[in-house]
Amino acid sequence: MAETSVITCLACAQANRVPADRLAQRPKCGTCGAALLPLKPVEVDLSTLRKASTTDQLPLLVDFWAPWCGPCRAMAPEFEKAAALLQGEARLAKIDTERSPEASARWNIRGIPAFVVFRNGREVARLAGARPAAQLADWVRQAVS
């Protein structure tokens, strides 16, 4: 039997089992049809982030941000560039800490922008402060290797 990865759909929070050999074929959610490996970061809510951070086997990089935060807004285009650099290696998600203050409490976020990498149901790395896309991508690759 082919090896599979569990990937939570960032649009509907449904867990999907994807054969490893299909990851490069842009798989879609079996429930809602959304791309499981989107080309751009996806804004998520707290319940979706909880599920993805505890079940996903593919690395998930999360940007904890807020609309009033200047460095967060400046980081947004770099985060999108990082999504392109990490295509197929990791998924990128964003959570608005102003709309979901529970997220900051749950993951002990002290300053934003903050970046957390989750893999296989646990946090594997954390970084605070705005960074260029290439530096962020290199950090993720090192964290999951």
Side-chain angles (χ1 to χ4, degrees), residues 30-124:
T31 301
C32 74
L36 291 175
L37 302 172
L39 299 173
K40 294 186 176 192
V42 176
E43 185 75 33
V44 295
D45 61 20
L46 181 60
S47 66
T48 301
L49 180 55
R50 273 191 189 132
K51 186 170 184 179
S53 68
T54 58
T55 62
D56 282 16
Q57 294 168 318
L58 193 67
L60 176 67
L61 171 60
V62 180
D63 175 9
F64 291 82
W65 73 287
W68 52 262
C69 169
C72 297
R73 289 193 317 272
M75 183 64 206
E78 291 299 309
F79 199 63
E80 282 206 24
K81 290 177 192 173
L85 293 172
L86 291 166
Q87 186 60 40
E89 298 176 68
R91 297 187 308 155
L92 279 70
K94 298 173 67 88
I95 188 158
D96 180 346
T97 58
E98 185 173 30
R99 272 194 285 162
S100 299
E102 307 88 5
S104 294
R106 165 99 166 73
W107 284 285
N108 199 25
I109 302 300
R110 300 283 182 195
I112 53 175
F115 306 97
V116 178
V117 178
F118 298 97
R119 184 177 192 185
N120 295 324
R122 65 183 186 89
E123 179 180 325
V124 296

Side-chain angles (χ1 to χ4, degrees), residues 78 81-82 85-86 131-141:
E78 291 299 309
K81 290 177 192 173
L85 293 172
L86 291 166
R131 303 278 193 276
Q135 186 180 358
L136 192 60
D138 289 344
W139 171 73
V140 170
R141 289 180 185 117

